[in-house]
Structures are given as C-alpha cells and as structure tokens.
Amino acid sequence: MRAARLIKMVLLLQSRSAMTAAELARELEVSERTVTRDAQALSEAGVPVYADRGRAGGYRLVGGYRTGLTGLARSEAEALFLSGLPSALREMGLQDAATAARLKVSAALLPSLRDASDTAARRFHLDAPGWYQEPVTPELLPAVAEAVWDDRMVSARYRRGGAGGEVERELAPYGLVLKAGVWYVCARAGTDFRVYRIDRFTAVAVSDERFVRDDDFDLPGFWDEQAARFARSILRTEVTVRVSEAGVGRLLRSMDRSAVQDALDAAGPPGTDGWRTVTLPVESLEVAYDQLLSLGPELEVLKPPALRNRFAAAAERLSGLYR
C-alpha cells in the first residue's frame, strides 16, 4: 500500500513542477504529516525530493529527475494499450502519433511486458457505429481535431437541419465526441457552449489564434446533459397505453429509457391483471406507431383515437394473415 503511494507521489511530482503538502495530501488521500514522512523516505531511497519551506513552499524533484515505466504491472500495461482506439485515431489523423507513442512505451517496458499490446488487441475491439450503419468519416474531421488539440479558434460554415440553411460561426472547439458512429464537437460560440455535428460543417478554417480554456468545463458531464436535453426536447406529444408486465421490459428497450421510467413511476402500481395504464411522451404518432407495434399483444393503445384506430387496423390485417 505504501509502496504504491510512494510511486504515485513521484509520478505526481514528475508531472508538475511543484506541489504543496496540502495538494499532495489531497491527491494521495493522506494527511500532510504522512506526506512529510513519505518525502523523507523517498529522499533516503535516492529519489531527489526537495522541500521548499515557507507559506509558498512545497515539494519538487531536483535536476529533472525522471522515473522509468518499468514499475507497470501487466494489467496496467494492457490497460494503457486499450486506451488507443485505432479507428477513431485514424479518422482524426492521429494514427501515426499514436503508433509512435505505443512504440516508445513498449521500448520502456520490462521484456516480460512487451507483448501487452498484442494481448490487449486480441481481447478487446471497439466497434462504435450501430448495427446496419455504414460509418462515414466527415471530411473536415482532421481539421476540427487539430483545432481541438491545439486550442485554436475556427471559422466554420454549418448546415442547419431541415430548411435552416447555412450559418457562419466563430468557435472555440473544446472536445470531440464519437456517438454511435457520428462525430460531434462541443464548442464555445460566444459565451455559450453548443454541440455541432461535424458532418454538417461545409467549411472549416483553423485560426492561428488560441483560446483560453475554461478549467471548469467538463466534457463528459456537458455531453450527458446535452444528450439528455435533446432526447427530451423531441418528445413533443403523448399517447396513453395499457401495458402488461412482460411488455414493460420491452417498452424500456424500445423507447427513451428515462422518459419511459418517469412515465411508469407516475402511473403507479399495476392492476389486478398485472397491466398498468401509462401516459408516454413520444416524438410523433408516426414514430410511436413504429416503436409500440413491436410490443404486439403486450400493449394496447387507448388514445389518441387516431393511433388506436391505426393499431386496430394493423391487428385486423395481422389476424387475417394467420386466420
């Protein structure tokens, strides 16, 4: 336990020019007194940890000291190689850089761990696009990725959905997201953060001007919030149904899960027959027809009448086929 903590302390000091005892204690989840003892132990072991005294003092490594990577365990080495996603890196134009990095890491590993990249590749592969979809790499993705990595402003022409036409935007691109085979960029436009589909960019010019990142921006958190908001925003109408106990699980898999769960919670417990009446938010009656028809006899549409009549007609046709 202590050995792992000492290694982490060295790596923290190696990655930063200096850290206070309070910062190290927070990162290592120990007391400042323990940090002092650990620093002394490292110094006695030959690691040049230097302590600056005073209110603005802290700990640092002297003389550009660097530790090797030979302390990696097999599971750690394999996890490191899993962090590279070949298809995504290739689409962003980073395949050569990733290959060079992996070669450097491999060269620094102990001989017994140098097959970690092969063992990881044989055991894990990410196929991001959904089934029955042919992934298409946006032509302008490498340019956007370059701007993201270098914190550079971009001038972009963006094609809106529907008949919205094209608009021009000055963007500070903070991060890239690959969702179900579709690339998005989360960017600041003025003072607002927004999400843009990269395949809708018709022109991108990367500026020499760099932007200053907001340190409070959390890419995964922002994406989750925007994705949830989008999913809810398209649910503009409602349908009322009766659904069996068996149909509930299928309903959760065929529609927006969180919206269905909220509707089920609001509906209360099932009746004596095990069925419950639920009011569901849906994108449109057309979409609802496609989604709910898959539940077959486990669901009955109550309203609106137009949708119920359509289900009744479908049931009659189906009955005729099997009569």
Side-chain angles (χ1 to χ4, degrees):
M1 179 69 178
R2 190 189 185 199
R5 189 175 72 241
L6 292 174
I7 291 173
K8 184 176 180 180
M9 184 174 178
V10 174
L11 293 175
L12 284 170
L13 293 174
Q14 185 173 298
S15 63
R16 308 179 194 181
S17 58
M19 295 183 70
T20 65
E23 290 172 336
L24 283 167
R26 186 167 55 251
E27 290 282 348
L28 299 172
E29 299 180 349
V30 296
S31 67
E32 292 186 33
R33 185 183 297 273
T34 299
V35 168
T36 301
R37 288 198 297 264
D38 286 352
Q40 184 177 353
L42 287 170
S43 181
E44 292 173 354
V47 178
V49 178
Y50 179 78
D52 291 315
R53 305 298 179 184
R55 293 179 58 187
Y59 294 91
R60 60 186 175 86
L61 294 175
V62 180
Y65 177 84
R66 309 291 293 178
T67 185
L69 291 174
T70 53
L72 284 176
R74 171 169 291 278
S75 60
E76 294 170 332
E78 291 173 348
L80 176 63
F81 285 105
L82 285 179
S83 64
L85 306 178
S87 60
L89 291 168
R90 182 175 59 253
E91 292 176 6
M92 288 186 289
L94 298 174
Q95 186 176 25
D96 290 344
T99 300
R102 284 194 291 270
L103 287 172
K104 290 178 180 179
V105 172
S106 295
L109 290 173
L110 289 171
S112 60
L113 299 179
R114 287 178 184 166
D115 65 339
S117 61
D118 291 333
T119 60
R122 290 174 183 174
R123 289 164 173 80
F124 178 82
H125 173 68
L126 176 67
D127 186 9
W131 288 104
Y132 316 119
Q133 296 179 12
E134 185 67 28
V136 178
T137 302
E139 182 180 348
L140 297 174
L141 174 60
V144 178
E146 175 190 350
V148 169
W149 301 130
D150 290 344
D151 293 343
R152 294 187 183 275
M153 297 291 296
V154 299
S155 297
R157 198 159 63 244
Y158 186 75
R159 184 179 67 253
R160 288 174 168 172
E166 290 189 356
V167 294
E168 293 189 4
R169 292 284 186 268
E170 294 291 324
L171 302 176
Y174 270 59
L176 297 168
V177 176
L178 177 60
K179 171 71 171 179
V182 180
W183 283 96
Y184 299 86
V185 60
C186 300
R188 190 181 68 220
T191 58
D192 298 327
F193 285 95
R194 300 181 181 179
V195 176
Y196 299 88
R197 278 185 60 145
I198 296 180
D199 59 6
R200 288 185 180 173
F201 284 124
T202 58
V204 169
V206 180
S207 170
D208 291 333
E209 176 190 354
R210 282 188 164 89
F211 62 89
V212 178
R213 283 181 172 267
D214 181 352
D215 291 336
D216 294 331
F217 180 79
D218 173 29
L219 178 60
F222 174 76
W223 173 260
D224 289 345
E225 179 183 333
Q226 293 297 309
R229 182 180 301 175
F230 172 75
R232 293 301 181 93
S233 70
I234 63 175
L235 304 179
R236 300 187 180 94
T237 190
E238 291 183 340
V239 299
T240 302
V241 302
R242 289 179 67 244
V243 60
S244 70
E245 184 177 356
V248 167
R250 293 169 61 181
L251 192 61
L252 287 165
R253 293 190 295 271
S254 62
M255 303 180 71
D256 180 77
R257 188 179 185 87
S258 61
V260 171
Q261 189 60 63
D262 288 346
L264 290 170
D265 292 342
T272 55
D273 59 356
W275 287 56
R276 64 178 75 185
T277 300
V278 184
T279 298
L280 297 168
V282 295
E283 183 176 348
S284 67
L285 296 185
E286 186 68 31
V287 172
Y289 176 79
D290 291 336
Q291 292 174 328
L292 300 178
L293 193 63
S294 65
L295 272 74
E298 304 302 328
L299 177 138
E300 176 190 3
V301 174
L302 300 179
K303 59 182 181 182
L307 186 61
R308 179 178 174 85
N309 292 339
R310 188 172 179 184
F311 268 76
E316 187 173 341
R317 290 173 56 199
L318 191 61
S319 175
L321 289 174
Y322 289 96
R323 186 172 297 142

